[in-house]
Amino acid sequence: LAYSCKVCKKEQDAKWFKTYYHNHKEEFTKWYRDNPEAAKIAHKNWLLQNQYGITFEQYVEMLTNQNGVCAICKNPETAVHNKTRLVKNLAVDHCHDTGKVRGLLCSKCNTALGLFNHSATLILAAAEYTKLYQQTMQINIINSETNHP
């Protein structure tokens, strides 16, 4: 079942956990221990489904469509996970109002969007500010070159 309401989804997950998982805990634990690679994918799939409503296969498809790089800066992820010391996966970017997935982002771009409150107006204002500063710097360089023989 797909839930559009996060509250309903959390309630359903809690109900499932209290009934099915609780009654089969030993089986789950054994399977996870005996199948570490499959368990890793199953856990990633569960997280993606739970948080963004997409499957692991859809994540991999998005990653492939983006050539394994960030949708904004076009660079691969470089941030390292604190515990595992491995390079992180690209983050799933989504609209916080609708929950719709937009693409995959590196940690830097994902953080930047968050700091701008996902506001296109603020992001464009920052771009204009940066562009104005760059133009001012170019003018200053030209002026300093013409003032020094």
Side-chain angles (χ1 to χ4, degrees):
L1 291 173
Y3 292 92
S4 58
C5 173
K6 286 185 177 184
V7 174
C8 294
K9 174 72 172 120
K10 285 187 179 188
E11 287 175 2
Q12 182 66 24
D13 286 348
K15 183 178 177 183
W16 179 86
F17 186 80
K18 285 180 182 177
T19 57
Y20 189 81
Y21 178 79
H22 184 72
N23 294 333
H24 298 87
K25 187 176 181 179
E26 292 81 22
E27 295 169 44
F28 279 107
T29 303
K30 182 181 181 326
W31 184 83
Y32 271 77
R33 189 177 50 248
D34 294 346
N35 303 283
E37 287 305 312
K40 185 176 178 181
I41 292 171
H43 182 69
K44 182 72 172 172
N45 195 46
W46 180 83
L47 287 173
L48 290 167
Q49 282 278 355
N50 208 27
Q51 293 176 331
Y52 309 109
I54 64 171
T55 64
F56 181 71
E57 290 78 19
Q58 289 171 310
Y59 178 91
V60 171
E61 183 180 343
M62 290 172 62
L63 188 64
T64 302
N65 290 341
Q66 289 182 207
N67 297 315
V69 297
C70 175
I72 294 176
C73 70
K74 309 301 183 209
N75 291 315
E77 180 63 85
T78 58
V80 175
H81 193 279
N82 289 338
K83 289 183 182 177
T84 65
R85 306 307 302 160
L86 298 172
V87 175
K88 293 181 177 183
N89 293 319
L90 290 173
V92 177
D93 177 47
H94 64 286
C95 174
H96 288 246
D97 294 328
T98 65
K100 185 175 188 276
V101 172
R102 297 184 283 218
L104 304 177
L105 303 179
C106 69
S107 294
K108 288 180 182 179
C109 290
N110 193 40
T111 300
L113 279 184
L115 292 171
F116 281 113
N117 295 320
H118 296 262
S119 165
T121 303
L122 287 175
I123 294 165
L124 290 172
E128 286 299 316
Y129 172 80
T130 304
K131 189 186 293 184
L132 178 64
Y133 179 77
Q134 287 173 339
Q135 290 169 347
T136 303
M137 289 301 296
Q138 289 172 349
I139 291 168
N140 289 343
I141 291 169
I142 292 169
N143 288 340
S144 67
E145 289 174 354
T146 56
N147 292 334
H148 293 89

